[in-house]
Amino acid sequence: MNDRRLDEFEIDNVRESGNRDMIDGAVELWLAERALPRAGAERRRDQLLLVAREVASDRIAGMVTTYLETQPRLRVPLWTMRAYVAEDFRQRDIGFHMLFATLDYHQQRFLSGEDTSGRGLYMEIENPIIQRARNEAVWQRSRFVFIGVNARGHHCRVRYFDGARID
Amino acid sequence: MSTNSTHTLQRVHGRLDEALSQELIEFWTAQNAVPDGEFDDRLPTVLSLLRNADGDIVGVSSARSTRLALFANQPFHVFRYLLTREAAEASDWLALLLAGCEILDERANAPDHSGEIGMLVRITQLKLQQAWPEAIWPQTGLVHAGFTEQGHQLRVRYYQDARIDMEARA
């Protein structure tokens, strides 16, 4: 699914590993770059799924959170995904790799029956630069589909897991 | 093309002559489905129809072009259908839908394509939602995109290489 290499970075699934240093580092990154206030960063601590680290410098480069949510319009439980890439590490494919790692993790758990609570991934794209740069109605590789905009004009995309159903 | 029932599908988009147009107008009138004065607007949007063993029209599909705020004012074809009670089987509806997808895909690839990026389908009947609960319908690729305020399921599929036009949001 993802054949692009990311040699300089290591992506840790902190939900599985429980790696305290990576989790604390992610929270500190949010604060250092003023991406979130302290209370917000602490709330998202438990939602952290992936943390990417530059191997050479041991610096945190980005992270992904996911949490289960049912969008009122969709009426189906989905994993809402948020990604953040540190300012110094943008344009280096980290977000791309974390997207696929997130998809692989949740879809495999869904297909194996280990966790079928979410039927897919959901994301809202706030950044207009990304909205423009990635304006394909269906992202070819990850198959995220544009399903409209929210009240704030953010692009909403969904990727249902293979075999997912709407009850 | 035949459906699973005794009904026969007929692709009519771009092939409407006067006799067929009159037949459709009589069908809509009998079904109380299209108001007087809207026939001329509706006829060019017709995609296909279903006939019973006697040759009578028992179903018709059409697609109009529209922009929805929910979809960032992007241009879409909205697929519509009308079935009589006689043609109320899910297979009849699916036959109209599959033909509609084919016709609209062909239109999207035509040189005079009017710019729609995809197709929206509003599923008003609960039994159709229940007949195909897959998030992505395998026959058509239609993706679950939510529910309308009226509780109708909304599904979307995009034409090849469709892109979101950011300027359309203004």
Side-chain angles (χ1 to χ4, degrees):
Chain A
M1 185 180 290
N2 173 19
D3 53 12
R4 282 152 67 170
R5 292 172 59 88
L6 192 69
D7 293 332
E8 317 95 87
F9 298 90
E10 176 186 271
I11 296 176
D12 185 24
N13 184 326
V14 296
R15 196 168 297 171
E16 295 292 330
S17 71
N19 187 320
R20 202 76 191 162
D21 290 342
M22 294 286 260
I23 293 170
D24 289 343
V27 172
E28 289 308 314
L29 179 62
W30 276 323
L31 297 175
E33 299 203 350
R34 299 181 188 278
L36 290 173
R38 168 68 69 179
E42 290 298 334
R43 269 198 304 274
R44 287 203 198 168
R45 176 186 289 271
D46 292 339
Q47 299 172 359
L48 277 166
L49 174 68
L50 305 176
V51 179
R53 178 181 68 91
E54 188 183 40
V55 175
S57 67
D58 201 28
R59 294 167 64 199
I60 301 297
M63 49 275 206
V64 165
T65 59
T66 60
Y67 64 97
L68 197 60
E69 185 180 36
T70 299
Q71 293 292 324
R73 176 182 147 198
L74 291 171
R75 301 187 198 170
V76 59
L78 299 168
W79 293 101
T80 293
M81 172 188 174
R82 290 176 171 140
Y84 184 79
V85 177
E87 290 170 5
D88 287 348
F89 295 103
R90 290 175 188 167
Q91 312 293 328
R92 292 175 67 176
D93 271 357
I94 298 168
F96 176 86
H97 283 268
M98 291 197 300
L99 173 69
F100 277 96
T102 303
L103 178 57
D104 284 347
Y105 174 73
H106 280 298
Q107 176 153 264
Q108 281 175 18
R109 287 167 60 87
F110 177 82
L111 293 175
S112 71
E114 189 175 357
D115 184 354
T116 57
S117 52
R119 317 288 170 80
L121 289 181
Y122 171 83
M123 68 167 75
E124 294 178 350
I125 298 148
E126 302 177 25
N127 188 331
I129 296 170
I130 299 175
Q131 290 178 2
R132 276 179 203 281
R134 300 298 316 277
N135 70 340
E136 305 96 329
V138 182
W139 287 349
Q140 289 302 310
R141 295 168 70 108
S142 61
R143 289 161 43 209
F144 272 86
V145 177
F146 177 77
I147 57 163
V149 289
N150 64 14
R152 289 161 291 176
H154 303 157
H155 284 196
C156 304
R157 289 183 178 263
V158 66
R159 164 63 153 88
Y160 295 107
F161 299 142
D162 296 345
R165 289 171 168 252
I166 311 300
D167 294 331
Chain B
M1 174 182 171
S2 296
T3 74
N4 290 336
S5 67
T6 57
H7 302 136
T8 303
L9 185 121
Q10 182 182 4
R11 281 179 54 146
V12 297
H13 181 70
R15 304 171 191 168
L16 284 182
D17 57 18
E18 198 161 324
L20 191 51
S21 297
Q22 187 57 39
E23 195 180 4
L24 275 166
I25 289 170
E26 288 169 8
F27 173 71
W28 283 328
T29 303
Q31 296 295 320
N32 201 23
V34 177
D36 286 348
E38 293 187 14
F39 297 135
D40 287 346
D41 290 335
R42 185 68 68 90
L43 282 167
T45 71
V46 171
L47 301 174
S48 60
L49 49 85
L50 284 175
R51 293 185 185 277
N52 64 16
D54 294 330
D56 298 327
I57 296 175
V58 292
V60 61
S61 69
S62 61
R64 66 184 167 89
S65 184
T66 194
R67 294 174 185 263
L68 299 178
L70 182 64
F71 279 83
N73 288 322
Q74 303 300 306
F76 280 94
H77 285 122
V78 175
F79 178 83
R80 294 192 286 192
Y81 61 96
L82 172 64
L83 292 167
T84 65
R85 287 187 179 180
E86 181 186 341
E89 295 297 323
S91 59
D92 290 318
W93 184 77
L94 181 62
L96 284 178
L97 180 63
L98 288 172
C101 290
E102 280 181 18
I103 294 166
L104 293 175
D105 281 345
E106 289 169 12
R107 280 177 58 177
N109 289 322
D112 61 346
H113 173 49
S114 48
E116 293 83 2
I117 63 170
M119 169 183 181
L120 292 169
V121 182
R122 196 179 54 163
I123 298 118
T124 57
Q125 292 168 280
L126 185 60
K127 71 174 185 180
L128 295 176
Q129 296 177 24
Q130 292 169 337
W132 295 295
E134 298 92 345
I136 304 171
W137 282 350
Q139 304 100 321
T140 59
L142 278 158
V143 174
H144 173 68
F147 290 89
T148 66
E149 290 177 357
Q150 294 78 29
H152 303 152
Q153 192 183 35
L154 197 60
R155 286 184 176 259
V156 64
R157 72 192 286 270
Y158 290 96
Y159 304 135
Q160 192 172 4
D161 300 327
R163 288 180 177 268
I164 309 305
D165 175 10
M166 297 288 289
E167 307 309 318
R169 293 174 59 182

